[in-house]
Amino acid sequence: MQKMQQRYFEWLLIAALTFFMTPASAADGIGVISGQVTDINGAPIAGVTVSSKDVTVVVTNPAGVFKLTGVKQKSRILVNFTKPGYLPSQGSASLVAGAAKTKDDNSDEGGSKLPNTALVQVLLKSGANKLLNATTGGSLSESGAKVTFPANSLTVAGSVDVIITAIDVSTNQIKGSPGSFSARTASGQTVPVRSFSMADFSLSQNGQKVNLKTGATANIELLLPLNTLLGAGAVKPMWYFNTANGLWQEEGTGTVGPSTTTPGRLAVMAGVKHFTWWSLAEPVVLTAITGRILNDFGFPLAYSSVTSLVAGVGYAVAETDETGAYCIEAPVNSETRLRAYAGSAL
């Protein structure tokens, strides 16, 4: 049975959470990215290291607010977020003046006026740290997710720290997933995807990242939500998050079967060749949602940010024009929550 789309609008006037450019820097193609880092419940997170290519690294203040200065104008800029105890994450921003933006265009753009856009990044707390011996191999599980690797299959020997962080994509935890659920297929096409389950697998030794040797394979298991649409025997593409381009990349397949960690539940099993974020997902068909954003006095909120949140799919972002009108994409047959953010230009 198809779900009807529900549209809820929440108004936030956050002057500090905008992308803006001073007249002097606009001429040089340089801008400032500002934003806020929160947990999945919207509480600010202080002390988060925020960085992007070729700019000074900054740390969020007690309100979770940050500002990256000297950012070169591009239609898509990757911004990295790290803090001990939380999963590293990555978001993307756009600093484009007077030109249309495309999701995967990293070319420089000129111009003198920068659209105002809010960037709110959500971080997830890391799973519990556990130990395994790389020489003997073994299995570990956390929150329904599981990893198993053979003896002598890692790039190091001896004791290894293993952190598994699982996400229930049917809940608010989906806000903490990296990227925007834009993905690249094995054939090179860029498509939006819907996730059925995901988890991050992080292995390290003495603070240094550990991975599988070339040619080695580990087995992972991702617990599916209680309300999953998948049945035992289903086979879907697996995707890992590529921090180099901020996209989910298709690699291999996963098969649905009974969970080995949670009796009575289904999980997806897959073989992987490296440790990172992994997701069982499939491409989706998008439709357009249009509307106008007005304030309490009936005036349009021009150049504001509109985001859509869909369980299992994540965020999409659009901007209003001078009349407050917006057009944003969302998967068909989905329940979509829209939020509007007004910035300092209003």
Side-chain angles (χ1 to χ4, degrees):
M1 182 177 181
Q2 295 183 348
K3 295 182 180 178
M4 295 183 63
Q5 292 182 340
Q6 299 180 0
R7 305 179 184 182
Y8 301 94
F9 294 88
E10 298 177 8
W11 307 97
L12 298 177
L13 296 177
I14 309 177
L17 309 183
T18 58
F19 292 57
F20 61 91
M21 179 180 293
T22 63
S25 63
D28 300 325
I30 299 298
V32 178
I33 298 177
S34 298
Q36 185 185 37
V37 182
T38 75
D39 64 17
I40 60 174
N41 298 313
I45 304 176
V48 178
T49 299
V50 185
S51 62
S52 188
K53 185 179 180 181
D54 301 326
V55 300
T56 302
V57 175
V58 299
V59 177
T60 58
N61 67 16
V65 172
F66 67 90
K67 181 164 67 174
L68 288 172
T69 60
V71 184
K72 193 173 183 180
Q73 281 192 58
K74 292 181 181 179
S75 62
R76 190 163 178 270
I77 301 165
L78 301 180
V79 183
N80 299 303
F81 302 84
T82 59
K83 181 179 180 177
Y86 291 82
L87 280 182
S89 193
Q90 188 180 78
S92 62
S94 180
L95 289 175
V96 178
K101 298 188 292 296
T102 58
K103 291 182 179 179
D104 296 294
D105 178 14
N106 289 318
S107 60
D108 297 341
E109 303 286 353
S112 60
K113 184 179 180 181
L114 188 68
N116 295 297
T117 307
L119 174 61
V120 178
Q121 186 70 27
V122 177
L123 294 189
L124 289 171
K125 287 189 175 181
S126 299
N129 185 79
K130 299 181 180 180
L131 297 177
L132 269 182
N133 191 295
T135 305
T136 59
S139 297
L140 277 178
S141 62
E142 177 76 18
S143 302
K146 182 178 179 180
V147 62
T148 303
F149 57 87
N152 300 309
S153 61
L154 301 185
T155 52
V156 300
S159 182
V160 175
D161 295 301
V162 181
I163 298 177
I164 304 174
T165 308
I167 283 184
D168 185 342
V169 299
S170 66
T171 71
N172 270 352
Q173 291 180 347
I174 192 68
K175 295 180 180 180
S177 60
S180 61
F181 282 79
S182 183
R184 187 153 290 166
T185 66
S187 62
Q189 292 180 305
T190 301
V191 297
V193 293
R194 170 179 59 183
S195 175
F196 295 101
S197 186
M198 69 170 59
D200 176 77
F201 299 87
S202 177
L203 277 68
S204 63
Q205 186 181 74
N206 300 322
Q208 299 298 312
K209 186 176 178 63
V210 171
N211 228 308
L212 290 162
K213 292 179 180 177
T214 301
T217 300
N219 293 316
I220 62 172
E221 180 175 330
L222 307 178
L223 187 67
L224 291 165
L226 283 168
N227 61 352
T228 183
L229 300 176
L230 301 179
V235 178
K236 297 288 183 181
M238 293 294 295
W239 312 73
Y240 72 89
F241 186 71
N242 187 343
T243 57
N245 60 15
L247 300 174
W248 290 86
Q249 176 66 52
E250 181 182 4
E251 185 175 286
T253 60
T255 302
V256 176
S259 169
T260 65
T261 68
T262 311
R265 295 281 295 276
L266 292 174
V268 55
M269 287 74 172
V272 300
K273 298 184 181 300
H274 49 99
F275 298 120
T276 179
W277 277 100
W278 282 97
S279 174
L280 182 79
E282 67 179 5
V284 293
V285 176
L286 298 179
T287 187
I289 300 175
T290 60
R292 291 185 70 206
I293 306 299
L294 308 175
N295 64 17
D296 291 341
F297 303 101
F299 294 106
L301 298 183
Y303 308 115
S304 298
S305 176
V306 180
T307 66
S308 70
L309 175 64
V310 183
V313 178
Y315 284 108
V317 181
E319 292 173 347
T320 61
D321 62 17
E322 63 275 5
T323 69
Y326 68 88
C327 179
I328 194 167
E329 293 179 326
V332 297
N333 303 327
S334 67
E335 181 178 296
T336 304
R337 179 171 182 168
L338 300 184
R339 305 184 81 184
Y341 299 87
S344 59
L346 299 175

